[in-house]
Amino acid sequence: MTKIIVNATHKGGEGKTTNSIMLAEYCALVKKYKTLIIDMDPQANFSGRYIQMEYDPAYRGGKIPAIHPDYESNVDSEWDGRSSIANIFYGEEVVPYPTSIPNLELLPAHSHKLQEAEAVTKNEVLEKVHLQLKRFLELPDVRDSYDIIIIDTPPSKGPLTIAAVKAASHIVIPAQMEQFSIEGIYGMLQLWKQESYYRTKNNPIDLIGILPNQVRDIKLHKQFLEGLKMMKGVSDYVMPRVIKKRAIYTEILVEDANPKSIFELPPHNVARLEYESACQYIMERVFSHGKEKSISNQ
Amino acid sequence: MAKKKVFQISNALTEGLEETVSAAHNYSGELRVEAISLKKIELDPENPRDMALTFEDLTQGIDKADPDYQRKIEERTSLQTLANSVREQGIINPIMVYKQGDKYRLIAGERRTLASILAGKTEVQAKILDSKPDELKISLLQWMENVERKDLSLWERLMNLEKILSSYATHKKVTLQDITPTDIGRLLGCSLPHAMNFTAVLQADATLKSHIRVNKIKNLEKAALIAGIQSDDVKQSAIEACMEGATLKKLKSISTQDKAKKTLAVSPALPITRGRQMTLVNLGTTKKIPVARLIIDSVLQHEKVTHLRKHFSDLNWADYKAINHAFKQLLLTLEKLEV
C-alpha cells in the first residue's frame, strides 16, 4: 500500500519544508520510488522548488502554480490550466505537475485557496476539510500511481495540518533542540495522540519520531536532546539520527544552486551522508511497519 | 567565577510529553466515538444478561405469550425515565461496542441502548473497539462503566468483581487466593483500603453474603466491618443493627466488643496495646519537689534499701538536677537488688 509521510510541527522554522525536500529527493533520486509530493502550506515554498510559481494577481503576496505543461487552451475548455492540491476542497480536478527530477510529481499549493480552507470554522465544513485529503489519497487512481506520498504542512495546528495528519500513515516531527521547539513537539504529539485514538489496527498512524534538526555543538542542544532521550516512552520516538546545522542545507535551496540536490553531491560528502542516513532510517521504518514492532516486542 | 550553565527541559513539559506518549500507546484505536445505527448493534451471546427485555421486544412489542411477559413489562417501565432523558439530551456516556462482521457487539451500555430505542432514536454514540477484547478486559470495562451507576447493588458489584478476579487469575495463571488487595487496587484503580474492603466482603461467610444478596446490607464499608467480626453472636447483632440502619460509627463500637471479647478469651492478663510492645515503665515527671521527695522517702522506708538512706541525707532538695541524678541511682540500685 502507498505510504504517506507527513512532516509536521506547528512551530515555524523547524525544518519541515527542508525535510520534505530531502525525503522527496531521497525517495525519487536514490530509491527511485514513484513519489508524489503535496504542498499544504500557503507559503508554497515546497512547490516553488520544483515548479514555477507565480504571484497571485488577485491576492498580493500569494502564490499560484504556473500553467500546467499539459494544458492546451483549445482542448481544455473547462480548465484554466492551473492545478493545486487546494482544488480538492473546491470539488475541482487535480492534475499533478511533473518535475525536473524523474519519478517525482508535485501537487502544488495555491496560497489563497489554502488560506480559505485553513480559515474554515463552521463545523460541517470543517469536518469536510479534515477528511478531504484522506478521501482524495484513498482514490485507487492515486494509490496505484505512487509508492510514496510526502506532505509538507503549514506551521499551524489548523485544519490543513489536521487534514494531513488524518491522511497520513507516518509522521515525522522535525525539531530544534530549543525551548519553543520542544513545546512545539508537545503540541504535535497531542495531535498524533488524538488521531491515534481514532485509527483502527489496519490503518494505524505511526509516529516515526522526532528528528533533531539544526543541531549545533552547544550545551543547550546537547542537554535538551539528552533530556528528551531520558523521558519515559518519549525516548522511543527520538530518532537515532541528528541533522546538524550546516550552511549547505540552505545553500542547496538557492535557485541556481549546483548541484541542485544534496543527493547529487559526491557520495562521501559529510552533509549528504548525514541526511541520507536520516532518510534511510525513516524509509526503513516506513516500509517495515509492523515488522519492527514485533521485533522490539520480543 | 561564572555559574555553570545547565539546561533542562522543565518538569511540566517533561510530564506532558510522557503522559501524551503513554496515552497514545494505551488507548490507540480505542477511543473512536461515532454515531452508529441502533439496528447494527447486537448483544454478545457470550455475555450473561441481567435483563430479559430484548431489542425486538421494543421494536415489535412484547408478546403476551412470552413467559417473561410481566418481567419485561416492568423492565420497560423502569427504562422509561432514562428514555425520557435520552430523548431530551441524548446519552451522556457513549456505549461501548466492538466490531463483529458488519455488526457491533455490545460490551457495555445495554440499558442506554434499550432506552435509546425506546426513545425512538435511530443512532447511538458508541466507542468502537477494533476487535473483541479478552475476557479480563471486557469485565474491567464493564466494571468501569458500572462504577458510576447508582442503581447497581453491592451484590451486583461483588459479582462483577468476582468475574474480574477469576479472569485475572486465569490470565496470570494464579489462584484466586493469590490475588492481594494491592492487585485489586491496581486492577480497578481504587484505593488500597477500598480494595481491602472488597477482599473482606468477598471472603465473608454465607450468612452475611445472603443478606447482601437480597440487598439488606448495601454498604461496602459496613459489610467489610461485619465480615471482620470473629465471634458469631457479636456478628449477628452487628448484622441486625446494620439492617436497622446503624451508622458505621455505631457498628464500629459493636465490633470493638468483639475485640474485647477476643482478648479476654486469649489472655486476660495482657492489656490491649497499640503500636510496639512496651518493655519499660516510665515513672513520669513532676515539677513539685515535695512530690519527688515523698516518693523517694517512701521507697527508702523499704527494709531492703535502708543502707541507701545515708546517700540521701545530704541531698540538696532545692536542686532539680541533683534530685534527678539521685533518683536514677536509686532506680538502678533497686533494679540490681531485684526487689
Side-chain angles (χ1 to χ4, degrees), chain A residues 199-218:
Chain A
R199 293 296 184 103
T200 62
K201 273 202 189 76
N202 306 325
N203 178 31
I205 181 145
D206 201 10
L207 175 63
I208 295 177
I210 299 155
L211 178 61
N213 197 14
Q214 301 172 27
V215 176
R216 284 191 292 151
D217 196 16
I218 57 173

Side-chain angles (χ1 to χ4, degrees), chain B residues 76-243:
Chain B
R76 191 173 64 184
T77 316
S78 78
L79 275 175
Q80 205 59 57
T81 340
L82 187 55
N84 290 342
S85 98
V86 170
R87 199 174 293 125
E88 280 166 27
Q89 284 136 21
I91 55 171
I92 297 161
N93 283 322
I95 63 164
M96 197 176 258
V97 297
Y98 67 88
K99 237 182 149 161
Q100 174 80 22
D102 60 345
K103 295 261 185 183
Y104 297 101
R105 287 238 168 120
L106 202 58
I107 296 167
E110 195 179 331
R111 284 168 50 83
R112 275 167 288 169
T113 310
L114 288 168
S116 300
I117 299 175
L118 202 55
K121 298 262 176 189
T122 49
E123 275 128 16
V124 64
Q125 281 184 42
K127 276 182 198 161
I128 307 168
L129 305 193
D130 284 336
S131 55
K132 184 175 182 173
D134 64 25
E135 199 75 0
L136 176 60
K137 185 135 194 192
I138 289 192
S139 24
L140 276 172
L141 288 172
Q142 287 173 342
W143 174 274
M144 289 191 281
E145 282 285 322
N146 284 332
V147 125
E148 305 277 326
R149 254 176 70 185
K150 295 268 191 315
D151 60 338
L152 214 60
S153 72
L154 177 56
W155 181 254
E156 284 169 311
R157 283 195 281 160
L158 286 174
M159 290 301 98
N160 282 347
L161 181 57
E162 225 163 42
K163 215 164 99 189
I164 293 176
L165 295 186
S166 67
S167 344
Y168 179 75
T170 331
H171 190 73
K172 290 269 168 188
K173 299 192 178 73
V174 294
T175 67
L176 273 175
Q177 284 71 35
D178 292 333
I179 304 175
T180 63
T182 318
D183 295 331
I184 297 179
R186 209 167 339 152
L187 268 172
L188 306 182
C190 67
S191 69
L192 188 59
H194 200 66
M196 286 166 86
N197 284 344
F198 271 124
T199 319
V201 180
L202 279 176
Q203 287 162 357
D205 60 19
T207 328
L208 179 60
K209 277 188 172 172
S210 71
H211 289 295
I212 298 173
R213 189 188 348 238
V214 293
N215 213 15
K216 287 269 162 56
I217 293 176
K218 300 167 185 175
N219 181 297
L220 176 66
E221 278 164 299
K222 290 180 187 173
L225 187 72
I226 297 170
I229 297 175
Q230 299 292 323
S231 102
D232 286 340
D233 48 333
V234 178
K235 184 181 274 186
Q236 190 53 40
S237 59
I239 288 176
E240 280 161 21
C242 182
M243 290 194 296

Side-chain angles (χ1 to χ4, degrees), chain B residues 38-57:
Chain B
L38 278 163
K39 282 188 195 136
K40 283 197 163 182
I41 299 175
E42 58 183 24
L43 295 167
D44 192 339
E46 286 157 43
N47 263 355
R49 307 183 62 210
D50 304 324
M51 296 179 78
L53 203 63
T54 64
F55 293 174
E56 291 75 33
D57 292 330

